């Protein structure tokens, strides 16, 4: 199938041609006709499948027909969980809407209000927003939503996890009842189904691929680790390998992301941290550096890294396992972008076997443990088996690094002043080797 078969407006086809897209991805081929026919949509699709264009293209197609109303408010509203994703959707709408002259504005938390007030006072077509800040502006009467025709909830599962649902309910209650609504989520189960039933009207449902079929271009590896020092040795080994172009290293806390980035910097890596405590400006600058290849290693937390679309990322390293199994899928999806191959490596301690099991259940794929000669774990490790929790057969409360289930202490447990090797951190002690008792050289 080609984009021409989808009856998109010629100026959108022109932009797609310029972007070098030759044919729609499966989610685009299935979603675009349903949306253009006016249906509500419930779609499960991961990032990397082309889901952004799957809603942006039919939304832009709607804009190709002028609206009769004199109102200046947005005709399309896209709600997203994070600033980074807002930026990505904004960029996509501008790219595909280039020849339509669609006016797109992004309104996210952490940005100055006066600038946003100014942006919102101008005529606009597409508004991309995080729910909290949008609601703020709505309550201040800054947005005219009278001519809104389409609402898109992007990464709805994530918005749910982040506690945005009460805000979303208040936002949807204030929108015109005859709008079209599209909901995209990594999963359609659990609370998402409930919310979909509440917000969507007779939606068409699209499930683009089973969990198992996803990420076929990403090689997933697992290394069992004894302790923090072992993790650091493995990390070094992985990062200096010639096949690493760019890597994202995931930690469980913001503070740990900063500290690990500092250590890697001291060890000579071109590295930066990315997390939610940074200002929007600092986050944007870091992502620009990553895109331009000025940094090779990004140490990030889950929320901040969601939506990052940088083709050069060859490796994702789960230094700490994610708290939620869904986040594992989001993390590894940062590599293997734009049809490339990627490698995702996870570190797990003996105490985290239950958490590994949850990830395997979610992805439907078994993570086979690998070893690196000279860096084998010294502790005896048993891979988790189905329906079995631990050696004792009893459930263990050690599912993620925040728990105190075993001998290993996750990075998330580190107390202020405590180094990676578990020793007391000395002021001014900058080198990774001193903290972990080993060398990067
Ligand atoms: P997304 O799943 O929306 O994050 O998109 C993943 C990547 O695929 C982005 O870099 C898009 O620019 C790219 N992309 C989206 N649609 C197509 C297409 N039809 N052909 C080629 N690349 C695409």
């Amino acid at each position: 199938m080609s984009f021409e078969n989808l009856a998109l407006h010629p100026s959108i086809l022109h932009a797609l041609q310029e972007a070098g897209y030759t044919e729609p991805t499966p989610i685009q081929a299935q979603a675009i006709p349903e949306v253009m026919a006016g249906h509500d949509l419930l779609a499960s699709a991961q990032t990397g499948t082309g889901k952004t264009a799957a809603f942006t293209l039919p939304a832009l197609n709607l804009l190709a027909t002028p609206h009769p109303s004199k109102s200046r408010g947005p005709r399309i509203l896209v709600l997203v969980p994070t600033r980074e994703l807002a930026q990505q959707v904004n960029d996509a709408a501008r790219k595909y809407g280039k020849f339509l002259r669609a006016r797109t504005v992004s309104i996210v938390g952490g940005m100055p209000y006066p600038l946003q007030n100014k942006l919102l006072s101008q005529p606009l077509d597409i508004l991309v927003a995080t729910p909290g800040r949008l609601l703020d502006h709505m309550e201040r009467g800054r947005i005219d939503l009278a001519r809104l025709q389409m609402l898109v909830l992007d990464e709805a599962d994530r918005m749910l996890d982040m506690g945005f649902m009460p805000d979303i309910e208040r936002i949807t209650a204030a929108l015109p009842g005859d709008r079209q609504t599209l909901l995209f989520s990594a999963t359609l189960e659990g609370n998402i189904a409930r919310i979909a039933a509440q917000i969507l009207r007779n939606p068409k449902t699209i499930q683009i691929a089973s969990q198992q079929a996803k990420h076929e271009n990403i090689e997933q590896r697992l290394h069992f680790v004894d302790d923090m020092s072992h993790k650091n040795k493995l990390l070094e080994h992985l990062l200096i390998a010639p096949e690493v172009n760019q890597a994202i290293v995931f930690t469980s806390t913001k503070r740990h992301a900063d500290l690990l980035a500092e250590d890697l910097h001291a060890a000579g890596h071109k590295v930066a941290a990315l997390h939610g405590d940074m200002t929007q400006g600092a986050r944007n600058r870091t992502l620009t550096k990553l895109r331009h290849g000025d940094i090779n290693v990004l140490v990030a937390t889950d929320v901040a890294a969601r939506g990052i679309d940088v083709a050069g990322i060859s490796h994702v390293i789960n230094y700490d396992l994610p708290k939620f199994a869904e986040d594992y899928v989001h993390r590894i999806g940062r590599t293997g972008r734009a049809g490339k191959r990627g490698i995702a490596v996870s570190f797990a301690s003996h105490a985290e076997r239950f958490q590994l099991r949850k990830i395997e259940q979610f992805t439907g794929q078994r993570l086979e443990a690998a070893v690196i000669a000279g860096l084998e774990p010294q502790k005896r490790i048993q891979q988790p088996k189905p329906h079995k929790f631990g050696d004792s057969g009893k459930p263990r409360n050690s599912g993620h690094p925040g728990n105190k289930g075993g001998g290993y202490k996750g990075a998330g447990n580190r107390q202020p002043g405590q180094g990676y090797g578990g020793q007391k951190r000395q002021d001014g002690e900058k080198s990774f080797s001193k903290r972990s008792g080993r060398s990067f050289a």
Side-chain angles (χ1 to χ4, degrees), residues 335-350:
T335 183
R337 308 287 290 178
K340 294 193 177 159
R341 294 200 62 76
I343 294 177
V345 185
S346 298
F347 297 162
S349 71
H350 186 70

Side-chain angles (χ1 to χ4, degrees), residues 5-298:
N5 300 127
L6 294 172
L8 289 162
H9 191 270
S11 46
I12 301 174
L13 292 176
H14 185 186
L16 290 172
Q17 205 178 18
E18 221 173 63
Y21 298 178
T22 47
E23 56 181 57
T25 65
I27 182 78
Q28 292 161 6
Q30 290 183 47
I32 293 170
E34 300 292 9
V35 181
M36 282 173 56
H39 296 294
D40 278 8
L41 187 75
L42 175 60
S44 97
Q46 304 280 351
T47 68
T49 54
K51 71 174 169 61
T52 314
F55 62 78
T56 311
L57 299 179
L60 287 165
N61 207 65
L62 201 73
L63 297 179
T65 311
H67 197 278
S69 152
K70 290 265 181 296
S71 152
R72 296 146 67 94
R75 295 172 63 186
I76 316 286
L77 170 63
V78 184
L79 292 180
V80 293
T82 64
R83 305 163 192 183
E84 279 71 26
L85 191 58
Q87 188 63 49
Q88 197 183 314
V89 172
N90 206 27
D91 291 347
R94 289 201 173 137
K95 180 159 87 175
Y96 310 137
K98 188 174 161 192
F99 301 110
L100 277 177
R101 294 175 203 279
R103 291 157 301 189
T104 307
V105 160
S106 162
I107 295 292
V108 296
M111 300 281 283
Y113 279 87
L115 174 67
Q116 293 186 340
N117 292 340
K118 189 163 167 241
L119 290 171
L120 290 172
S121 67
Q122 293 160 9
L124 72 151
D125 299 306
I126 302 180
L127 177 59
V128 185
T130 48
R133 182 57 67 95
L134 176 71
L135 200 59
D136 266 5
H137 284 287
M138 283 169 67
E139 283 169 352
R140 288 161 198 235
R142 299 267 179 202
I143 307 179
D144 177 2
L145 292 164
R147 64 170 192 163
L148 194 97
Q149 292 166 281
M150 184 187 285
L151 167 69
V152 182
L153 303 173
D154 192 14
E155 299 199 354
D157 53 325
R158 188 63 180 178
M159 291 198 277
L160 189 85
D161 285 350
M162 291 169 73
F164 281 138
M165 268 313 141
D167 287 352
I168 290 173
E169 279 166 11
R170 285 165 68 192
I171 292 167
T172 51
L175 301 180
D178 59 356
R179 64 163 198 278
Q180 190 177 6
T181 307
L182 322 180
L183 187 154
F184 288 77
S185 171
T187 165
L188 300 185
E189 284 142 30
N191 282 332
I192 285 294
R194 188 180 55 78
I195 283 148
Q198 201 177 312
I199 296 180
L200 305 176
R201 280 180 314 185
N202 303 322
K204 297 287 177 187
T205 302
I206 296 176
Q207 270 181 297
I208 216 52
S210 66
Q211 296 288 354
Q212 288 86 337
K214 283 166 197 156
H215 299 310
E216 278 165 351
N217 56 335
I218 300 171
E219 184 185 329
Q220 299 176 56
R221 297 181 193 159
L222 166 70
H223 288 289
F224 279 110
V225 292
D226 295 326
D227 52 25
M228 193 69 68
S229 160
H230 188 198
K231 271 193 191 187
N232 291 339
K233 286 179 189 155
L234 281 167
L235 182 63
E236 174 204 0
H237 181 91
L238 292 168
L239 289 180
I240 62 173
E243 71 264 22
V244 176
N245 183 47
Q246 286 181 305
I248 301 189
V249 180
F250 281 95
T251 63
S252 52
T253 67
K254 299 167 193 171
R255 177 170 158 64
H256 191 206
D258 276 334
L259 291 169
L260 187 55
E262 253 179 54
D263 284 341
L264 291 170
H265 177 71
H269 290 276
K270 290 195 285 179
V271 57
L274 187 81
H275 56 68
D277 277 355
M278 294 161 62
T279 63
Q280 186 58 37
R283 285 160 78 165
N284 288 344
R285 282 193 294 280
T286 300
L287 286 176
T288 304
K289 282 188 195 159
L290 186 69
R291 273 197 192 96
H292 292 171
D294 298 333
I295 53 177
N296 298 335
V297 183
L298 187 72

Side-chain angles (χ1 to χ4, degrees), residues 347-366:
F347 297 162
S349 71
H350 186 70
E352 290 172 310
R353 285 172 302 157
F354 182 53
Q355 179 64 5
L356 278 179
R357 181 75 200 130
K358 284 204 294 187
I359 291 169
E360 289 180 335
Q361 275 170 344
F362 186 79
T363 61
Q365 287 172 330
R366 187 158 169 84

